[in-house]
Amino acid sequence: MANINISWTTNPADTSDITSYEVYVCDATANGHFTTAAQLQTKLDAIQGGSSAGAQGLELIESITDLTALSTTSPKTLTTGSYHFGIAAKNQAGFKVLNDTSVTALAVA
C-alpha cells in the first residue's frame, strides 16, 4: 500500500470563483475506469446533480483549498497497481475539468 502523491504543472489563471480542486481516483469501481476529460466531466455533473461519487465510479481522495498548490499528498492509500486520477476545479455551480491532461494514469508502487 502506498500514499498518493500527485503534482500538476499549471493552475487556472483566474481562480476567483474556484473554491477547491478535487482529486479523484477514476478506477474506484468496475464502472470507474475511464481516461478522458469529457468522461470525468459527465461523472462530476452527475455528482453535482445528486449522484454519489461511488455510483459514478469515482473516489474523492483530496479536496485542495490552496488554489496556488501544484501538488498534493493524500493520506489515502492504494494497493500497488496502475490507476487513473482526475482533477477538477469546483465552485458553487459545479465542477470544471480543463482538458484530457486532467485525467492521467499513474502507477502506485
Side-chain angles (χ1 to χ4, degrees):
M1 308 262 295
N3 288 70
I4 301 166
N5 299 301
I6 297 175
S7 63
W8 49 96
T9 57
T10 60
N11 286 324
D14 180 9
T15 60
S16 61
D17 68 339
I18 297 173
T19 56
S20 63
Y21 301 131
E22 307 288 305
V23 181
Y24 288 89
V25 177
C26 303
D27 304 304
T29 70
N31 300 324
H33 182 81
F34 57 90
T35 59
T36 70
Q39 291 168 313
L40 178 58
Q41 186 68 61
T42 297
K43 291 174 180 294
L44 293 173
D45 289 345
I47 292 170
Q48 184 68 18
S51 181
S52 70
Q56 295 303 312
L58 297 173
E59 183 176 353
L60 179 65
I61 59 165
E62 199 67 30
S63 181
I64 305 159
T65 57
D66 174 1
L67 302 180
T68 63
L70 290 173
S71 66
T72 187
T73 298
S74 174
K76 167 78 178 152
T77 58
L78 295 171
T79 57
T80 300
S82 181
Y83 297 87
H84 285 81
F85 296 90
I87 186 169
K90 182 179 180 186
N91 65 17
Q92 291 179 338
F95 299 90
K96 176 63 178 159
V97 180
L98 182 61
N99 56 39
D100 282 343
T101 62
S102 299
V103 179
T104 190
L106 297 170
V108 175

